Amino acid sequence: MTEPLFDKVAVIGLGLIGSSMARGMKKRGLAATITGFDGSADVRDRSRALGFCDLVADTAEEAVKDAELVILAVPVGAMRAAAQAIAPFLANGAIVTDVGSVKAAIVRTVASALPEHAAFVPGHPVAGTEHSGPEAGFAELFEGRWCVITPCARSTDASVEKVGALWTALGSTVETMTPEHHDIVLAITSIIPHLIAYNIVGTAADLEDVTQSEVIKFSAGGFRDFTRIAASDPVMWRDVFLNNKDAVLEVLGRFSEDLAALQRMIRWDDGQSLEDHFSRTRDIRRGVIDAGQDTADADFGRPHGHED
Amino acid sequence: MTEPLFDKVAVIGLGLIGSSMARGMKKRGLAATITGFDGSADVRDRSRALGFCDLVADTAEEAVKDAELVILAVPVGAMRAAAQAIAPFLANGAIVTDVGSVKAAIVRTVASALPEHAAFVPGHPVAGTEHSGPEAGFAELFEGRWCVITPCARSTDASVEKVGALWTALGSTVETMTPEHHDIVLAITSIIPHLIAYNIVGTAADLEDVTQSEVIKFSAGGFRDFTRIAASDPVMWRDVFLNNKDAVLEVLGRFSEDLAALQRMIRWDDGQSLEDHFSRTRDIRRGVIDAGQDTADADFGRPHGHED
Ligand SMILES: NC(=O)c1ccc[n+]([C@@H]2O[C@H](COP(=O)([O-])OP(=O)(O)OC[C@H]3O[C@@H](n4cnc5c(N)ncnc54)[C@H](OP(=O)(O)O)[C@@H]3O)[C@@H](O)[C@H]2O)c1
Ligand SMILES: NC(=O)c1ccc[n+]([C@@H]2O[C@H](COP(=O)([O-])OP(=O)(O)OC[C@H]3O[C@@H](n4cnc5c(N)ncnc54)[C@H](OP(=O)(O)O)[C@@H]3O)[C@@H](O)[C@H]2O)c1
């Protein structure tokens, strides 16, 4: 147990990320009191049963009363409404942070909804799974991961430091950058991979010559890794695409150009260029493993894996 | 231990697949004798040290002498040369099979290289990892997976049955289809996923605004799953693309069309269509998990995973 970093923390939105933060803070004693609120009565009930908050309130007002820190963990498209709902009830000098997967749009829409006396520290933990809802959360989700903080005009040095200390205590390494740079980095490392995964699973479903049962049976050839990503929450991702449009369209344009080049190499039997291209990408894989962001296990340690 | 299915089996190409088959046959006692051969002297030495064959021969001739079954487990582009190298030395009535990831091209090039007295049963185990070489193999690789057999004019009923019995004994479920149908099914479930993964990793490496270190740090957002696939052997995949050109270009055309439609939805803020598309793909994920081709574990059971 660490000394509590905060007296009272309120979590708004009790899904995968919000409930994982509450669990992590509880496990490590980072807040004297944790309250929660969710727009869905059903999620509130399930969260009460799961017990990761000291109190799940029936209104945003009750949840944020006297809170030193308020965490917005709702879908990106709901961030402004969630900020507006808590704004009148924030304690003087409260810190508000968020966990949204896009940052420039959130700085634009959330900052202006908050009262002048509150500080706002935009954040994004780069950790997640394809599951959602309060049952999907777990305290260790952020361990060994990076969390991006993108200070804005409404962030004070003290508030940035406190939110950073929270993420460090949850096991993450904090990196600070501008909201715009965040949006382009995440476009390539997270958003475009999701778009492509959704797309190929859709393409597979539409082929007339191949049955869905065949796609499923033979998915171990590579396809299954895309189905995992494409099982992610549709509402969350819709919001992410629409709120990071410029960076997404820019990176997607690059991706399509590069794909057209590979397609041409295949059409014209240019084996040497294909091989060169494929060899080049191995370095990045090594970097991902060395940085502890993945394991080198055959098959990710899936049950039928390596036993030799 | 099962009754041996074969008296003597020769494995040509002692990489991931060839060495896994040898290990699996040895573990289950499926062959009285297993011999091996590889074009590389270094691989032969390492295979001798690993000991998964009774004998690693220095020539293809010595390996296939008196073999009842010969398994070609070399890259697709080397299949014809490997078939030509063994052809003069095949025992009368020997069965030849292969494990290549494309089938129509192999039927065209391999069958005609083999003597009339030998039977040829084209096969493809849909199981693999991104690693290659004899050290990467393991006996359980084929357990719980599907193996496709694509009989051709040179396959006899008895030879198809015997090769099928081998795969069943190695733990796979056998499915029979035409070489052409195999090639289109695998284009979507395996080949296009690899092409796209290679492509996005390449696109990421080329972005001027994002450093390689950033790509690696924030890869947990989805990108890392692509880097695994893109770490696969460049030579193997070059051959697969070039030898399944028609199906690959056909499915890639569909993929690009569908991606253009998603891009348009993003550009025109069509959130409803995006959400509908993303929802549709979840069924396939459920199918993959229900069929035992993946696990539902958060994060594939990577070390920092779910412990709640
Ligand atoms: N999932 C990831 O991998 C990941 C990773 C990093 C960051 N993020 C970000 O984290 C945020 C939450 O994602 P999540 O995966 O935790 O989603 P989630 O599991 O779907 O949870 C979101 C919860 O917020 C509730 N909600 C929606 N609007 C609300 C409002 N105005 N006031 C209060 N509650 C509201 C939702 O209720 P209803 O279901 O009734 O709408 C839902 O219970 C998103 O901004 C996302 O971009 C996600
Ligand atoms: N990897 C997969 O996930 C997977 C899955 C299903 C099917 N397959 C298929 O299985 C086959 C083998 O793949 P793999 O992953 O096992 O490859 P691998 O680990 O690279 O092994 C192939 C071995 O064959 C040797 N070789 C090349 N040409 C030869 C020749 N003419 N005669 C004898 N040996 C030769 C190679 O030696 P050099 O290194 O000196 O060339 C190498 O040691 C390919 O056709 C592939 O399409 C692969």
Side-chain angles (χ1 to χ4, degrees), chain B residues 97-165:
Chain B
T97 188
D98 80 295
V99 299
S101 307
V102 311
K103 296 269 66 81
I106 286 182
V107 168
R108 271 197 307 275
T109 56
V110 168
S112 60
L114 297 174
E116 286 297 333
H117 67 79
F120 178 49
V121 183
H124 176 204
V126 184
T129 76
E130 72 278 23
H131 303 294
S132 50
E135 291 79 10
F138 52 101
E140 300 76 15
L141 179 61
F142 311 108
E143 289 176 9
R145 297 281 170 245
W146 266 266
C147 180
V148 181
I149 289 182
T150 63
C152 65
R154 296 292 302 276
S155 319
T156 59
D157 288 352
S159 62
V160 169
E161 200 165 304
K162 272 213 113 166
V163 172

Side-chain angles (χ1 to χ4, degrees), chain A residues 145 225 228 294 302 304, chain B residues 145 225 228 294 302 304:
Chain A
R145 296 283 170 242
D225 297 327
R228 185 184 78 88
D294 205 347
R302 289 180 174 97
H304 63 286
Chain B
R145 297 281 170 245
D225 297 327
R228 184 183 80 87
D294 205 347
R302 288 184 177 95
H304 63 285

Side-chain angles (χ1 to χ4, degrees), chain A residues 290-301:
Chain A
D290 291 347
Q293 296 306 294
D294 205 347
T295 112
D297 286 359
D299 233 10
F300 292 145

